């Protein structure tokens, strides 16, 4: 069966520090991969999605970047965090015409 | 323009009663899929139900059913016999066939089930 791993679960980082959140999928190949951010009590904002290795689509210009170095690995990064980067980050995988499966999320607090 | 609109920020329902959560969508793509997810306070996203644009019948999954009205571009979620554990945020989402598998979410509805 397919599983998705996302870590860490919580993270507190100072302003200006770098960020790296990792997401890996098991049990499937060539998945679509997604990064979402959710502000407190709000909806999910699509940040990046990828349909293959090295193929990244950015939805919102911001202080973040994404990379897909391997088929089942999706990384969210920042060189210098801002206070506004705080939020709940969710990784997901899916295929066309099927639902998306989510990781457990990372709660990031920038202080 | 908003692709997915959920106009009810919060809803209450009495335990054991049915509740409808509204969702309207905007697309000119003939091929699309509509999804509903539940997010409890733990933050995990739980898939509930899926409706394809070409599906002739409304989707059902246990106590969940999707009232799909294509001409009105609405995809309301109906939860029958509400339970206390149904209290959560509910999100409607859409994937358009022409958008490269992008999955877009609405702003959500917070449902509270009263005992």
């Amino acid at each position: 069966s397919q599983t998705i791993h996302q870590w860490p679960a919580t993270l507190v980082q100072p302003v200006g520090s770098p960020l790296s959140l990792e997401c890996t999928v098991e049990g499937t190949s060539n998945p679509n991969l997604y990064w979402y951010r959710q502000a407190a009590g709000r909806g999910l904002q699509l940040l990046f999605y990828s349909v293959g290795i090295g193929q990244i689509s950015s939805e919102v210009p911001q202080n973040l970047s994404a990379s897909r170095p391997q088929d089942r690995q999706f990384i969210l990064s920042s060189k210098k965090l801002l206070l506004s980067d705080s939020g709940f980050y969710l990784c997901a995988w899916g295929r066309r015409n099927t639902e998306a499966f989510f990781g457990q999320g990372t709660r990031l607090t920038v202080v | 323009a908003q692709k997915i609109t959920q106009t009810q920020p919060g809803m209450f329902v009495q335990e054991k009663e049915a509740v409808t959560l509204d969702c309207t969508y905007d697309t000119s793509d003939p091929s699309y899929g509509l999804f509903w997810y539940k997010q409890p306070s733990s933050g995990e996203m739980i898939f509930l139900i899926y409706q394809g644009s070409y599906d002739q019948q409304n989707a059902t999954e246990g106590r969940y059913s999707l009232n799909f009205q294509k001409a009105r571009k609405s995809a309301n979620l109906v939860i029958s016999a509400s339970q206390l554990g149904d209290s959560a945020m509910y999100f409607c989402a859409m994937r358009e066939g022409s958008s490269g598998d992008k999955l877009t979410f609405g702003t959500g509805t917070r449902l509270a089930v009263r005992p």
Side-chain angles (χ1 to χ4, degrees):
Chain A
S1 63
Q2 303 90 355
T3 56
I4 179 168
H5 302 280
Q6 184 182 344
W7 67 92
T10 59
L11 191 60
V12 180
Q13 292 284 103
V15 169
S17 63
L19 172 74
S20 180
L21 301 181
E22 187 165 345
C23 173
T24 60
V25 180
E26 295 179 357
T28 187
S29 59
N30 197 30
N32 296 331
L33 296 171
Y34 306 87
W35 276 113
Y36 290 88
R37 177 170 60 199
Q38 185 179 26
R42 305 289 295 275
L44 276 70
Q45 179 186 34
L46 179 62
L47 302 176
F48 302 96
Y49 70 100
S50 171
V51 298
I53 296 175
Q55 300 179 58
I56 309 294
S57 296
S58 174
E59 287 299 298
V60 182
Q62 57 210 322
N63 185 40
L64 301 168
S65 62
S67 61
R68 185 170 178 174
Q70 300 180 47
D71 180 45
R72 290 170 288 178
Q73 184 184 30
F74 205 24
I75 298 172
L76 183 69
S77 303
S78 174
K79 292 182 179 178
K80 289 186 178 181
L81 284 169
L82 306 172
L83 288 173
S84 57
D85 291 325
S86 294
F88 189 53
Y89 289 82
L90 285 156
C91 178
W93 79 272
R95 296 191 185 285
R96 181 166 292 204
N97 299 326
T98 70
E99 67 270 31
F101 300 91
F102 284 81
Q104 294 299 303
T106 296
R107 199 164 299 279
L108 171 67
T109 303
V110 182
V111 296
Chain B
Q2 288 285 347
K3 288 283 188 178
I4 295 283
T5 302
Q6 294 180 255
T7 58
Q8 306 153 312
M11 290 277 288
F12 289 98
V13 65
Q14 204 66 34
E15 193 178 9
K16 300 180 184 178
E17 293 185 350
V19 63
T20 298
L21 306 183
D22 295 341
C23 174
T24 58
Y25 58 93
D26 180 24
T27 182
S28 56
D29 197 322
S31 175
Y32 54 90
L34 298 158
F35 307 79
W36 277 93
Y37 285 83
K38 172 185 178 181
Q39 187 182 42
S41 57
S42 62
E44 63 181 314
M45 293 290 286
I46 302 169
F47 166 72
L48 298 177
I49 198 166
Y50 165 79
Q51 180 85 42
S53 59
Y54 295 119
D55 293 344
Q56 295 296 314
Q57 294 190 337
N58 288 346
T60 60
E61 289 286 348
R63 293 187 299 111
Y64 304 109
S65 60
L66 201 151
N67 184 3
F68 182 44
Q69 297 188 41
K70 198 169 182 177
R72 294 185 178 183
K73 294 188 176 178
S74 73
N76 299 339
L77 177 70
V78 180
I79 306 175
S80 62
S82 297
Q83 301 172 357
L84 295 178
D86 293 334
S87 295
M89 281 289 285
Y90 288 81
F91 292 99
C92 181
M94 177 174 66
R95 178 185 288 130
E96 297 168 279
S98 61
S99 70
D101 300 334
K102 184 169 62 175
L103 185 60
T104 305
F105 282 77
T107 53
T109 295
R110 183 170 297 280
L111 177 67
V113 180
R114 291 171 167 157

